[in-house]
Amino acid sequence: MKQSERLAKLPVYVFALLDKLKAEARAQGKDLIDLTIGSPSHLPPKEAIDAQTKALKDPACHKYSSFEGDPAFIAAVIDWCKNQYNIDIKKDEVVILVGSKEGLAHFYLAYLNPGDTILVPMPIYPSHFRAPLLVGGVTEIMPTDEKNNFLPDLDKIDTKVADRAKIITLTYPTNPTAAVAPKEFFAKAVQFAKKHDLILIHDFAYAELYFEGKKPVSCLSIPGAKDVCIEFHSLSKTFGMAGWRLGFAVGNAALVGSLKSIKTNLDYGPFGATVKAGIAALKVKGSYLKKMRAGYQKKRDIVVEGLNCLGWKLKKPQATFYLWVPVPKGFTSMSFVEHLMDKTGVVVSPGTGFGDSGEGFVRFALVESDEKIKETVSRLKKAGIRYNG
Ligand SMILES: Cc1ncc(COP(=O)(O)O)c(C=O)c1O
């Protein structure tokens, strides 16, 4: 049976290869510490679990959800956006999602025709360059690296390419590099999007995962951003609810409306009881979030300080639970992943999974218990792993 061209043409998914390697190692009895997938280690707030449990007994929650979304969830999103990011959102500027990945992937169906160009920074969360390909889009890569703080140089983008493009995607704090963007960058990006008649997608999945009080900026906090921008939020990372599948997008009403229209053809929205849990989560007090951040900051410090004792010169990231780590000389991303797994049982993601420019790097996702995080460092030490770059 011949697959559709859109599926057959997708490049190899590095993480599927990694899954195979992990399964083989486990079958051989290897004790793995899995730092590959960014699935949070913190638990959802008690309020969310209690709300879900209660809602399970409510017959209404077992019916199809409404396309417009639970009004109480929409109201909770509006309050959350005001309290957390000081942005004013109206009811018709919110769409509820089955996780932000779902919304991001389906958004392209509403705006990209085959052959249309989308500007995407790299390295980046793979969905941002793979999902546009599924609808026949053409990705124009905006390179980023440590020298430019992983911010694309918008002035260097060929005017013809920018004029031809329909969408520009940004995501700060960034998976996999943990980069953050200052407000001035977003202001410039909004101006750029307006000048070239682009839709600006901002993926804000790691909005709440920041350290030392350096709060990331919502793109929608830039005056006039709502003319061009749709911003995707996720309850997965903020509230440790990755498996629950709940997110939302806010911003330009026409963009939000188009995504809603697409979704009416594809799903009925998240499970009603999950939505009730989301409402409860969005109302939790700041102490939950403070504790969550402190937990990842501790893990970050253990691994950064540990790797730096082994020859690396890593800076402590200001956000996310990722570390973007150069591989020692003589290795590729993938060969270092295999070497590390073989010698220590620690599994990390090859940088190439986040685009070609990820070659030479691996990503550590610090989403294991503190004990395992400490053990990661001691296993590397014991195995004589060192950075020689
Ligand atoms: C940058 C980024 N955006 C979106 C997602 C997907 O999040 P969700 O669970 O809301 O679909 C992820 C998941 O790792 C991510 O890293």
Side-chain angles (χ1 to χ4, degrees):
M1 275 171 263
K2 207 166 168 212
Q3 286 182 337
S4 67
E5 280 174 24
R6 78 176 64 85
L7 183 58
K9 266 192 193 160
L10 271 191
V12 177
Y13 198 41
V14 178
F15 296 101
L17 198 68
L18 200 60
D19 270 357
K20 206 166 147 244
L21 289 177
K22 284 192 282 190
E24 281 166 10
R26 285 198 178 106
Q28 288 164 15
K30 200 138 195 150
D31 172 25
L32 299 183
I33 298 181
D34 189 350
L35 305 182
T36 54
I37 307 286
S39 202
S41 53
H42 65 289
L43 291 175
K46 181 180 175 304
E47 293 88 331
I49 294 175
D50 289 348
Q52 161 93 303
T53 311
K54 189 172 161 217
L56 284 173
K57 296 192 181 121
D58 176 358
C61 283
H62 298 282
K63 304 212 174 223
Y64 290 119
S65 303
S66 84
F67 288 128
E68 278 307 309
D70 185 329
F73 185 83
I74 308 282
V77 164
I78 290 172
D79 285 349
W80 173 261
C81 287
K82 185 69 189 166
N83 295 337
Q84 298 299 113
Y85 316 113
N86 197 23
I87 53 179
D88 293 305
I89 301 294
K90 298 192 194 83
K91 281 186 201 155
D92 63 343
E93 295 169 342
V94 186
V95 52
I96 179 165
L97 304 171
V98 190
S100 64
K101 184 179 187 181
E102 173 269 308
L104 281 157
H106 287 146
F107 184 75
Y108 305 119
L109 281 173
Y111 285 99
L112 283 186
N113 291 316
D116 281 348
T117 298
I118 168 166
L119 300 170
V120 185
M122 197 168 267
I124 201 166
Y125 177 57
S127 199
H128 289 307
F129 58 87
R130 296 177 69 87
L133 299 180
L134 276 176
V135 295
V138 177
T139 49
E140 193 69 47
I141 301 304
M142 303 182 285
T144 72
D145 59 29
E146 204 176 350
K147 280 189 250 99
N148 54 29
N149 299 318
F150 296 102
L151 301 172
D153 188 343
L154 300 175
D155 296 330
K156 280 210 180 127
I157 297 169
D158 187 330
T159 308
K160 280 195 212 107
V161 174
D163 284 339
R164 187 171 71 227
K166 279 191 91 173
I167 300 178
I168 179 169
T169 299
L170 298 172
T171 170
Y172 294 96
T174 303
N175 170 12
T177 59
V180 289
K183 198 159 185 168
E184 302 77 60
F185 175 77
F186 282 113
K188 193 164 180 176
V190 168
Q191 219 179 26
F192 179 83
K194 287 189 177 184
K195 181 171 167 198
H196 297 287
D197 199 14
L198 298 167
I199 294 164
L200 198 172
I201 292 178
H202 183 229
D203 173 0
F204 206 23
Y206 296 89
E208 295 298 329
L209 245 157
Y210 61 89
F211 308 121
E212 285 119 14
K214 292 177 184 139
K215 195 172 167 60
V217 176
S218 160
C219 187
L220 290 169
S221 67
I222 304 299
K226 228 191 257 174
D227 296 340
V228 288
C229 178
I230 179 165
E231 188 167 77
F232 289 80
H233 293 244
S234 168
L235 277 76
S236 300
K237 318 290 175 177
T238 302
F239 297 112
M241 292 171 71
W244 299 48
R245 311 311 301 132
L246 190 59
F248 58 89
V250 288
N252 181 282
L255 300 178
V256 163
S258 300
L259 180 53
K260 271 191 206 165
S261 299
I262 286 287
K263 280 173 61 60
T264 53
N265 295 286
L266 299 169
D267 66 54
Y268 290 92
F271 176 33
T274 297
V275 174
K276 297 286 181 220
I279 297 167
L282 289 169
K283 289 182 176 163
V284 296
K285 299 281 175 300
S287 59
Y288 170 87
L289 295 174
K290 268 194 200 145
K291 199 168 149 215
M292 177 274 284
R293 291 180 201 118
Y296 289 111
Q297 187 170 333
K298 185 172 167 198
K299 295 180 208 291
R300 175 200 72 171
D301 291 350
I302 294 169
V303 181
V304 170
E305 286 162 21
L307 290 184
N308 285 353
C309 286
L310 302 176
W312 272 274
K313 292 188 190 77
L314 303 173
K315 288 188 201 127
K316 290 183 177 171
Q318 284 179 22
T320 78
F321 41 49
Y322 300 118
L323 289 184
W324 188 238
V325 178
V327 302
K329 267 192 204 132
F331 287 99
T332 63
S333 295
M334 198 61 202
S335 71
F336 187 59
V337 168
E338 287 173 291
H339 179 72
L340 210 57
M341 179 153 47
D342 184 41
K343 298 288 175 213
T344 68
V346 173
V347 203
V348 296
S349 299
T352 42
F354 306 94
D356 295 344
S357 62
E359 183 51 89
F361 291 84
V362 290
R363 187 196 72 177
F364 284 59
L366 306 181
V367 290
E368 274 288 4
S369 64
D370 288 358
E371 289 66 39
K372 290 223 167 136
I373 290 292
K374 282 183 201 148
E375 197 185 321
T376 295
V377 175
S378 53
R379 284 195 194 183
L380 264 66
K381 241 182 227 168
K382 214 160 141 199
I385 305 285
R386 285 196 67 80
Y387 183 62
N388 55 6

